[in-house]
Amino acid sequence: MSVLNHKLLRDLWRMKGQATAIGAVIALGVMMLVMMSGLTVSLVETRDTYYQRYRLADVFAPVARAPDRLARQLAEIPGVSAVQTRVQGRALIDLPGQVLPVQAQAVSLPDRGRPALNDVYLTAGRMPAAGRPDEILLLQSFATAHGLRPGDRLRATMSGARRSFDIVGLAQSPEFLYTTAPGELIPDDARFGVIWMGRAGLAAAYDLGGAFNEALIGLARGTSDDAVIDAVDRLLAPYGGAGAYPLADQFSNRFVSEEISGLQAAALGVPPIFLAVAAFLLYIVISRMVQAEREQIGLMKAFGYSNFEVGGHYFKLIMAIAAGGALVGCLGGIASGRALIGVYTAYFKFPFLVFQLDPASFATGVSVSILSASAGGVLVLRKVFALTPATAMRAPAPPNFSRSGRIGKSLNRFLDQPSRMVLRRLTRQPGRMFGSVLGIALGMALSVAMITIYAGFDRTIDVTFSVVDRSDVSVSFTHPVSDKTLFELARLPGVELVEPVRNVAVVLRNGRFSHQGALTGLPPEPVLNRALNTDMAPIELPQSGIVLSDVLAAKLGVQPGDLLRVDVREGRQPLLDIPVSGTAQTLLGAPAYMGLEALGRALGEAGRISGAYLMIDEAYADRIYSALQNMPTVAGVSVKAQARDAFVALMNQGAGAIRYVMGAIAFIITFGIVYNAARIALAERARDLASLRVIGFTKAEAGFVLLGELAVVTLLALPLGALLGYYMSFGIARGFSTDLYQIPAVFDPASYGQAMLVVLGASLFSGGLVKRDLDRADLIEALKTRE
């Protein structure tokens, strides 16, 4: 082994604490990159394989009632490779011990053979037998939530008739990876189920003999969605077609894709922040190390080592730290990815999900960490090349501490000698001090941003379920009914307030931008479900015009005053042009609001409602639920308390669970940065502090000179860290937000206080470690000139 390599090993051992802290920052950045990239690849590969293996349709075409003979005409459309017609509809499941019925979707299976499209994955039992209309398959997640298994009996209400079924099997489907009750956004396995049964039996239940109400269409490779959808809509329009839509707009696939996009954004945006911080720390450590070893550099050059050999020595030191951190990060990314894969399996109901390594993430993580470290190292090597042997071997001129400036003069009379040393160090070497301040501030900014995100999740829950929605129960109807139905609800014992709502399926268009969703009609002064502005004040809905959520307005690229094309997908399906009258702040979903009367006039269906919000007396809850169950027009009942619990569970899974991992990483990085600052200060001042001990300073006084500097640097970093964290929290909040929920970056004083406590705690702990090393230092060894 060469002399320089021996020196390299000695240097690494001597600065093992600093090297470990910097390597940990690099490792965490690489770990997040490998973990998130691996999760993204795993989700994409599993989703695509699942869709392909079980033949998920490319186009979905709901229709009121179309004759079976149309299937042949659909198959003749250019680009169509497969067609599967089916019957589907809403159902209510009666469970023992539950007063409130559970909403479900009933889906038909071919009486013989497997479906050509949207096949099911059988997890237990068998398929329903031909000619047995009382045999069904049940969605496994729903069955697990209620302890149901093959062989059990199930009672359900379909089209107003109550029937009993035999559960012969449990199944999963690529169509129902993300399952929610109709009209809701929050998935809850216990509150929504899927029933599969034979086509003939289900057609009889919904009076669709010889007809279908949904067509599934598979496309040939390279076929345009738009062309096929236009042809399908023209063909089904006379039969009440509600508008075909592509797989990209299918509810379940949409949210799975949103989750994958969120992970991809996080994988691209978060690790570079950590790696940039690591590069900054490496630059500080190595540059100060070069300054401290200038005499050794002069000796090496005097003995014949070239600039490139000496520079290569320090560059290898940088690479050893960076490569070691990258290797640990790769291993940590594999372990953490495998640990989180179970979360996504439960979240998305995949029948299989194996963590797959992304070779590109390894190459990217290692190369980016080395390049980021090299960026700081190149600046240091310039100093090495600039030193001539004669200059390097001559000790640098000591800093001029004879003048302390106005600040020093005014404070000298109040400060003792150790305190003056701290002050002089800060005022005479502002560049170094600012580097330490900025490093600690960056660590605090990461902590501030992550703790703020925690507060943002809590605010989303509070605003959504306490400020926007102040009801206790929401009721949805099987079809738009007369607003006189409100009187029936209001007469129920225990119902204190009733408020109508009209939800209409629409496609909102603005040029090339579009959004498939619902238009919500609210009464003039809603009390139970409100549209609010950014100040949390109710928005007065105009006599005409749409109020869009901020997220939806940004997605469509519209502002108040712009004209929006509204393609209604139910009833007579009119095509409307309605102006945008304002925007509202919403944290759940991307709603669009209109006045209830204005919406009725635009549709030509005045006095019709599709649901209602109720405020009830909890003492009468069971009686109210029982009465609602017996109303033939009620399609479903949702209890807000249950929806809130489901939303909390949702945000603690999937991308929501990642925030805890990122928070832990931010705290570790904060400690690493503070500890590094303390170790750098000790390495730079070891000789000076030993000299103070020799001339009579006590251990406490020498420690004060060192730790006083760290304390001042930490206190100066706190306001800067708070400012950087404030702006960083907006970017991270945007990364966590999805179409399902938006996480606001709120100014929460408690979050900043907690982040400051993290930094102060890290400073106290790091100060204790370096103080221990200072007390144990060998004074003679510290005073020697390094040979």
Side-chain angles (χ1 to χ4, degrees):
M1 184 178 293
S2 68
V3 174
L4 290 183
N5 287 337
H6 274 293
K7 182 180 182 300
L8 173 64
L9 296 178
R10 289 197 303 271
D11 288 341
L12 284 172
W13 178 254
R14 177 170 49 82
M15 57 179 293
K16 55 184 177 294
Q18 293 168 262
T20 301
I22 298 172
V25 176
I26 294 175
L28 291 171
V30 175
M31 184 194 78
M32 293 197 67
L33 178 62
V34 172
M35 177 189 70
M36 292 182 175
S37 298
L39 287 173
T40 301
V41 171
S42 300
L43 288 173
V44 170
E45 292 294 330
T46 302
R47 179 197 62 185
D48 294 346
T49 300
Y50 194 25
Y51 286 2
Q52 182 179 8
R53 186 175 299 175
Y54 292 91
R55 304 179 295 283
L56 186 63
D58 296 304
V59 174
F60 296 76
V63 63
R65 181 190 180 98
D68 287 339
R69 58 180 171 79
L70 285 185
R72 180 177 299 175
Q73 299 179 45
L74 290 170
E76 293 173 353
I77 295 175
V80 172
S81 62
V83 173
Q84 175 74 61
T85 60
R86 68 181 186 181
V87 174
Q88 59 90 25
R90 293 187 180 187
L92 294 176
I93 297 176
D94 300 323
L95 295 171
Q98 285 194 211
V99 179
L100 190 66
V102 178
Q103 298 189 64
Q105 182 173 349
V107 180
S108 70
L109 294 171
D111 291 323
R112 289 179 175 80
R114 307 287 293 204
L117 296 170
N118 289 27
D119 200 359
V120 297
Y121 171 73
L122 196 64
T123 60
R126 59 175 176 83
M127 297 290 289
R132 297 294 302 272
D134 57 338
E135 292 186 349
I136 63 170
L137 298 179
L138 195 61
L139 185 66
Q140 179 175 334
S141 56
F142 176 81
T144 302
H146 293 285
L148 299 172
R149 61 181 63 89
D152 292 343
R153 296 279 292 177
L154 186 73
R155 300 184 64 189
T157 301
M158 296 180 180
S159 192
R162 191 167 298 177
R163 303 175 56 185
S164 293
F165 299 97
D166 292 322
I167 303 174
V168 297
L170 305 181
Q172 291 177 266
S173 169
E175 184 181 359
F176 299 105
L177 291 176
Y178 187 94
T179 55
T180 67
E184 298 186 15
L185 288 175
I186 310 303
D188 187 346
D189 293 341
R191 295 174 50 238
F192 180 72
V194 179
I195 297 172
W196 288 272
M197 59 184 293
R199 169 75 176 268
L202 195 59
Y206 289 99
D207 193 23
L208 286 171
F212 63 91
N213 61 6
E214 186 175 32
L216 308 174
I217 298 170
L219 302 181
R221 189 182 300 274
T223 302
S224 169
D225 289 346
D226 295 336
V228 173
I229 288 173
D230 290 342
V232 171
D233 285 343
R234 287 194 299 270
L235 186 60
L236 297 182
Y239 305 95
Y245 56 90
L247 176 60
D249 289 334
Q250 197 262 344
F251 188 82
S252 172
N253 176 70
R254 177 181 168 190
F255 285 108
V256 173
S257 300
E258 183 73 19
E259 183 72 13
I260 294 173
S261 299
L263 273 177
Q264 289 174 330
L268 291 175
V270 176
I273 296 175
F274 298 154
L275 295 174
V277 172
F280 179 73
L281 291 177
L282 269 175
Y283 169 72
I284 293 176
V285 171
I286 303 301
S287 63
R288 295 186 180 181
M289 183 177 176
V290 168
Q291 183 67 22
E293 295 189 351
R294 57 184 286 139
E295 294 180 18
Q296 297 183 41
I297 294 172
L299 282 172
M300 286 188 286
K301 288 188 175 183
F303 278 116
Y305 289 102
S306 66
N307 282 332
F308 288 99
E309 288 175 318
V310 177
H313 163 70
Y314 289 98
F315 191 75
K316 282 192 288 185
L317 180 65
I318 296 172
M319 290 299 99
I321 298 174
L327 177 60
V328 173
C330 290
L331 297 176
I334 296 172
S336 57
R338 288 177 175 172
L340 282 174
I341 205 70
V343 174
Y344 283 91
T345 303
Y347 183 58
F348 284 132
K349 314 300 185 300
F350 283 122
F352 50 86
L353 182 58
V354 179
F355 181 70
Q356 298 184 25
L357 301 179
D358 180 15
S361 67
F362 287 95
T364 302
V366 173
S367 60
V368 169
S369 61
I370 290 177
L371 288 174
S372 61
S374 301
V378 168
L379 298 177
V380 175
L381 296 182
R382 291 176 57 190
K383 298 180 180 179
V384 175
F385 293 153
L387 287 173
T388 63
T391 303
M393 293 178 67
R394 184 171 58 246
N400 183 7
F401 290 147
S402 62
R403 295 175 298 166
S404 55
R406 294 181 180 179
I407 297 177
K409 290 180 179 179
S410 60
L411 295 179
N412 273 344
R413 74 182 75 176
F414 303 107
L415 301 178
D416 57 11
Q417 190 62 33
S419 299
R420 291 180 207 173
M421 292 180 181
V422 174
L423 180 62
R424 287 169 183 168
R425 169 88 169 177
L426 295 172
T427 56
R428 297 302 177 183
Q429 294 180 318
R432 292 188 180 185
M433 294 306 102
F434 178 73
S436 299
V437 168
L438 182 58
I440 296 175
L442 288 172
M444 178 179 168
L446 290 174
S447 296
V448 166
M450 290 312 307
I451 298 176
T452 299
I453 292 303
Y454 295 161
F457 273 80
D458 294 337
R459 179 173 173 80
T460 296
I461 295 171
D462 291 338
V463 169
T464 299
F465 294 100
S466 300
V467 180
V468 175
D469 184 0
R470 301 193 293 184
S471 68
D472 296 314
V473 177
S474 61
V475 179
S476 59
F477 301 119
T478 56
H479 59 278
V481 299
S482 169
D483 55 9
K484 293 182 173 54
T485 307
L486 298 175
F487 296 108
E488 297 182 43
L489 297 174
R491 284 197 296 266
L492 296 176
V495 174
E496 299 174 350
L497 184 63
V498 180
E499 187 173 280
V501 67
R502 177 74 190 271
N503 291 307
V504 181
V506 297
V507 176
L508 304 177
R509 306 184 191 276
N510 177 42
R512 60 188 180 87
F513 301 108
S514 65
H515 172 78
Q516 183 170 4
L519 188 56
T520 301
L522 300 178
E525 296 182 357
V527 175
L528 300 183
N529 185 45
R530 306 179 297 165
L532 305 178
N533 60 21
T534 55
D535 297 324
M536 294 292 104
I539 292 179
E540 183 177 353
L541 297 178
Q543 294 297 321
S544 62
I546 296 178
V547 175
L548 301 176
S549 67
D550 295 334
V551 175
L552 184 53
K555 179 179 179 180
L556 293 172
V558 296
Q559 298 177 349
D562 293 344
L563 203 62
L564 194 64
R565 175 63 59 92
V566 179
D567 186 357
V568 180
R569 292 305 180 93
E570 63 179 58
R572 296 183 296 106
Q573 300 186 20
L575 196 61
L576 310 173
D577 291 315
I578 304 177
V580 177
S581 59
T583 60
Q585 183 184 44
T586 59
L587 301 178
L588 186 63
Y593 301 106
M594 280 190 71
L596 186 60
E597 294 183 2
L599 179 59
R601 288 196 303 270
L603 296 175
E605 298 177 355
R608 314 293 287 182
I609 61 174
S610 58
Y613 291 92
L614 310 181
M615 182 179 291
I616 66 172
D617 184 343
E618 289 297 328
Y620 292 86
D622 289 348
R623 293 167 61 181
I624 293 173
Y625 299 155
S626 180
L628 291 174
Q629 183 178 3
N630 293 323
M631 295 180 66
T633 57
V634 172
V637 179
S638 176
V639 179
K640 188 178 74 172
Q642 295 178 354
R644 182 186 181 116
D645 293 341
F647 189 47
V648 172
L650 168 69
M651 292 202 300
N652 289 331
Q653 298 175 351
I658 294 291
R659 76 185 191 272
Y660 295 114
V661 177
M662 292 179 61
I665 290 174
F667 297 149
I668 295 172
I669 288 177
T670 301
F671 171 76
I673 292 173
V674 175
Y675 177 72
N676 238 310
R679 293 297 308 184
I680 291 171
L682 176 60
E684 285 184 338
R685 309 203 65 183
R687 187 184 179 104
D688 296 340
L689 295 172
S691 300
L692 294 178
R693 292 285 311 283
V694 170
I695 64 177
F697 278 62
T698 66
K699 289 182 178 180
E701 290 172 327
F704 177 81
V705 173
L706 175 64
L707 299 181
E709 176 188 326
L710 177 62
V712 174
V713 167
T714 301
L715 292 177
L716 291 175
L718 294 180
L720 179 60
L723 180 63
L724 294 175
Y726 174 78
Y727 289 103
M728 191 180 293
S729 62
F730 285 94
I732 296 179
R734 190 175 297 111
F736 274 114
S737 299
T738 68
D739 278 356
L740 176 61
Y741 54 79
Q742 289 77 50
I743 303 302
V746 297
F747 177 77
D748 181 24
S751 299
Y752 290 80
Q754 293 174 30
M756 289 181 182
L757 289 176
V758 169
V759 174
L760 293 175
S763 299
L764 290 173
F765 187 72
S766 301
L769 292 178
V770 297
K771 178 63 167 59
R772 182 195 62 182
D773 292 344
L774 178 62
D775 292 342
R776 295 176 178 177
D778 186 336
L779 299 182
I780 297 176
E781 185 68 26
L783 288 171
K784 285 183 179 179
T785 300
R786 292 175 186 162
E787 298 296 340

